[in-house]
């Protein structure tokens, strides 16, 4: 298809350009479309897709901070998590969509802060006990955040702190 995924080990930057990822990394327990053991910067160019709803437990799994920028898009799908970050997720631009297709799933799950300074962030969970977006603190200075799930659309746990310009919650 002409798509590329190029990783720069020195800067921990993965640049996607019209990439389609269908095969993943298995850590012994789960399979991931993209797996990072530490921090990761994700640069999006063109339309990028991570598909493998039956194969991938996690579309994107980052054991550190995840930063997303660029003018492209990412549609990341997994059975349990569309996109997961152990630490924070900062979105500066582009469009990211995390979709969980299993019975219990999180479209986008961020253990600490979700910060959106630009771009579009969408989390969708299609299962009976699905959560669209789950994070500790949500902060927005630009862009938009949309969540959709049968259990919850957008959930913040750290004292319910959220500051937002454009927050869209879609009931099921």
């Amino acid at each position: 298809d002409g798509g590329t995924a190029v990783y720069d080990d020195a800067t921990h930057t993965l640049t996607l350009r019209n990439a389609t990822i269908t095969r993943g990394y298995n850590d012994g327990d789960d399979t991931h479309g993209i797996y990072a053991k530490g921090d990761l910067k994700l640069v999006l160019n063109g339309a990028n897709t991570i598909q493998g709803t039956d194969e991938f437990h996690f579309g994107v799994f980052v054991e550190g901070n995840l930063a997303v920028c660029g003018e492209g898009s990412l549609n990341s799908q997994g059975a349990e998590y569309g996109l997961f970050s152990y630490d924070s997720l900062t979105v500066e631009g582009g469009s990211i969509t995390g979709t969980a297709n299993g019975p219990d799933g999180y479209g986008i799950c961020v253990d600490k802060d979700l910060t959106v300074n630009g771009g579009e962030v969408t989390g969708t969970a299609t299962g009976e006990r699905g959560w669209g977006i789950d994070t500790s603190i949500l902060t927005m200075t630009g862009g938009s955040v949309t969540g959709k799930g049968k259990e919850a659309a957008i959930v913040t746990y750290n004292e319910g702190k959220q500051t937002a310009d454009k927050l869209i919650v879609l009931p099921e």
Side-chain angles (χ1 to χ4, degrees):
D1 294 51
T4 60
V6 178
Y7 183 70
D8 182 335
D9 194 39
T11 62
H12 306 285
T13 301
L14 177 62
T15 302
L16 300 177
R17 183 177 309 279
N18 296 317
T20 298
I21 297 172
T22 58
R23 297 182 54 109
Y25 168 75
N26 187 302
D27 65 4
D29 294 318
D30 298 308
T31 304
H32 318 279
I34 293 175
Y35 176 87
K37 194 143 180 86
D39 295 346
L40 178 67
K41 179 178 181 181
L42 192 56
V43 180
L44 304 176
N45 295 299
N48 303 282
T49 304
I50 299 172
Q51 292 178 299
T53 56
D54 294 330
E55 179 184 349
F56 297 153
H57 295 95
F58 298 82
V60 175
F61 182 89
V62 178
E63 285 191 42
N65 297 301
L66 174 61
V68 178
C69 64
E71 296 182 15
S73 65
L74 174 64
N75 180 359
S76 177
Q77 299 179 23
E80 296 173 34
Y81 297 87
L83 186 146
F84 179 86
S85 173
Y86 259 128
D87 287 327
S88 65
L89 167 61
T90 302
V91 180
E92 298 292 341
S95 173
I96 62 168
T97 300
T99 303
N101 295 314
D104 301 291
Y106 297 84
I108 296 175
C109 183
V110 181
D111 268 4
K112 294 184 180 171
D113 302 347
L114 170 55
T115 303
V116 181
N117 297 321
E120 299 174 4
V121 177
T122 304
T124 301
T126 62
E128 288 301 314
R129 293 174 302 280
W131 303 67
I133 296 175
D134 180 27
T135 186
S136 291
I137 297 173
L138 171 62
T139 304
M140 293 178 62
T141 61
S144 67
V145 174
T146 304
K148 183 175 184 180
K150 290 188 178 181
E151 190 71 31
I154 298 174
V155 176
T156 57
Y157 283 103
N158 192 355
E159 301 171 25
K161 293 181 182 177
Q162 44 189 343
T163 8
D165 284 344
K166 186 174 181 187
L167 185 65
I168 302 168
V169 177
L170 300 174
E172 197 53 37

